[in-house]
Amino acid sequence: MAKSKKLPTHLLVIRTSAMGDVAMLPHALRALRTAYPELRITVATPRLFRPFFEGLDIEFLEADTKGRHHSLVGMWRLARKAQRMGIDAVADVHGVIRSEVFRYIMRLHGIPIARIRKEHSEKRHFIRQGGACAAPLRHTILRYCDVFRRLGFEFDDPAPSVAAAERPNPMGEKQGRWIGFAPFSAQQGKTYPDDLARETVRMLTSRYDRIFIHSGPGAEAEFAAEMERRYPNVTALYGKMGLADEMNLIAHLDCVVSMDSLVMHLAALVAAPVVSVWGATHPGLGFLGWGCDPQHALQADMPCRPCSTYGAKPCRYGDYRCLRAISPRMIVEEVEKTING
């Protein structure tokens, strides 16, 4: 493939949140790195997210958006630090006010920039069409790639991740079949109902050797701890390991059940089989885990869904019936299909 002779030599890519969206970025960077192995790449993101980029040979510019870089003055300081690093192009794959300030400062100093096109109108149209009747939108990862291409880079779309056999297992020697279960999300429209999640755990524990519950803090961790006390083959992961070890564990699972949330994208990074469960959102909006089989995406065909791009819109009926339509038995049967497929 022919490549432009006038290309940046040190590219800065900025994406500071959300975790699931940052976890999709390594796929695009892997494709760019394959085509341009000599390119110096720096990612501006919080320190917490560094495990996502393992093995990519990139550098980091820590973006502390909850601390010293929270304000506009803080973003100015971050941009000044990037200039001192010799950045000669910026790819903004976030497209928020903070990254806009960062772009503006870099542009003032003559540094080429490109930003993501979020396609808000296309997403609204997809939702109005009811999802099933609309053509799928361009995947988020491909829109990340498009930002790099607008800076002159030419490369193929990324292939799905390949399992890394050398990843250590933080839970020791594996015996039998291990399943991950991640019923939570930051948004209620993407969180599996509590009673159905409990029944799903019960059914999974009766069929498989070990069940690992992925969760965040607070009520999520309490649910996981309760399941761990109730079933001897359940392990609640919160507080037991960091993000890097959680990714290592996922790489050893036979299947991961996840909502439209971070764990789905972690599984995509380590090539673990996924059964994804969709409520208010829709895989056609461009957020399905990269390489995840759409045949294992469980979703209800209802006239009211999708109703939201990110799952933040309250249910018009108040009962999140789109999620309740996905029964625990459907999930367990899909896990069996995935493992045997």
Side-chain angles (χ1 to χ4, degrees), residues 126-177:
F126 185 94
I127 291 171
R128 286 195 298 268
Q129 292 295 307
C133 301
L137 300 184
R138 191 159 176 78
H139 197 285
T140 299
I141 290 168
L142 299 182
R143 290 190 289 111
Y144 289 168
C145 292
D146 292 341
V147 179
F148 306 150
R149 289 167 179 146
R150 284 195 283 275
L151 289 168
F153 298 105
E154 300 176 9
F155 58 98
D156 296 329
D157 291 342
S161 294
V162 177
E166 69 275 9
R167 280 186 176 269
N169 188 341
M171 287 297 176
E173 182 182 357
K174 179 181 177 183
Q175 295 181 350
R177 288 193 164 165

Side-chain angles (χ1 to χ4, degrees), residues 27-341:
H27 297 284
L29 290 178
R30 177 163 33 86
L32 178 63
R33 167 64 71 213
T34 299
Y36 296 90
E38 74 288 353
L39 176 65
R40 187 178 174 189
I41 301 173
T42 295
V43 175
T45 199
R47 181 181 295 271
L48 173 66
F49 303 152
R50 290 189 182 186
F52 298 158
F53 303 89
E54 181 182 339
L56 272 177
D57 186 27
I58 62 172
E59 302 171 39
F60 293 96
L61 174 63
E62 183 178 353
D64 182 13
T65 55
K66 296 185 182 299
R68 62 184 183 276
H69 301 134
H70 176 75
S71 65
L72 299 184
V73 172
M75 291 306 293
W76 178 83
R77 290 172 180 159
L78 187 69
R80 293 292 295 165
K81 187 173 182 179
Q83 288 176 265
R84 292 193 294 270
M85 294 173 66
I87 300 296
D88 59 1
V90 173
D92 176 8
V93 298
H94 201 169
V96 294
I97 292 177
R98 284 197 188 94
S99 63
E100 183 177 346
V101 172
F102 187 93
R103 291 198 321 264
Y104 177 76
I105 296 168
M106 300 299 272
R107 189 189 295 113
L108 284 179
H109 291 84
I111 296 174
I113 62 99
R115 65 177 179 84
I116 192 169
R117 294 169 182 167
K118 292 199 169 185
E119 301 181 341
H120 291 303
S121 61
E122 289 85 348
K123 290 172 182 173
R124 287 193 293 268
H125 177 74
F126 185 94
I127 291 171
R128 286 195 298 268
Q129 292 295 307
C133 301
L137 300 184
R138 191 159 176 78
H139 197 285
T140 299
I141 290 168
L142 299 182
R143 290 190 289 111
Y144 289 168
C145 292
D146 292 341
V147 179
F148 306 150
R149 289 167 179 146
R150 284 195 283 275
L151 289 168
F153 298 105
E154 300 176 9
F155 58 98
D156 296 329
D157 291 342
S161 294
V162 177
E166 69 275 9
R167 280 186 176 269
N169 188 341
M171 287 297 176
E173 182 182 357
K174 179 181 177 183
Q175 295 181 350
R177 288 193 164 165
W178 292 8
I179 308 297
F181 184 40
F184 304 109
S185 166
Q187 308 297 342
Q188 190 172 356
K190 302 192 295 182
T191 299
Y192 202 48
D194 183 83
D195 58 324
L196 300 185
R198 292 171 184 273
E199 177 63 11
T200 302
V201 172
R202 186 194 68 78
M203 295 180 71
L204 289 173
T205 58
S206 68
R207 295 192 182 202
Y208 301 104
D209 298 276
R210 292 193 70 177
I211 310 301
F212 298 92
I213 300 183
H214 307 263
S215 77
E220 295 181 12
E222 291 173 9
F223 170 91
E226 180 187 340
M227 295 298 100
E228 184 179 60
R229 291 191 297 268
R230 181 173 298 183
Y231 303 104
N233 58 339
V234 167
T235 300
L237 295 176
Y238 181 76
K240 291 186 173 69
M241 60 182 64
L243 184 58
D245 275 341
E246 187 169 0
M247 293 176 65
N248 288 337
L249 172 63
I250 291 172
H252 291 272
L253 300 181
D254 295 280
C255 183
V256 178
V257 178
S258 176
M259 312 305 291
D260 172 18
S261 63
L262 171 66
V263 174
M264 174 178 64
H265 298 296
L266 297 185
L269 283 175
V270 299
V274 175
V275 169
S276 57
V277 181
W278 300 77
T281 59
H282 193 286
L285 284 164
F287 301 111
L288 180 66
W290 191 248
C292 294
D293 190 339
Q295 294 186 40
H296 299 309
L298 296 176
Q299 52 183 328
D301 184 9
M302 306 177 76
C304 60
R305 71 167 297 271
C307 64
S308 173
T309 300
Y310 306 109
K313 184 178 179 181
C315 174
R316 70 181 71 175
Y317 303 108
D319 56 7
Y320 293 93
R321 58 191 61 185
C322 58
L323 287 163
R324 305 200 69 85
I326 310 298
S327 70
R329 182 166 298 278
M330 292 169 63
I331 291 175
V332 173
E333 290 177 351
E334 200 63 36
V335 169
E336 192 69 21
K337 291 179 187 176
T338 303
I339 291 176
N340 294 331

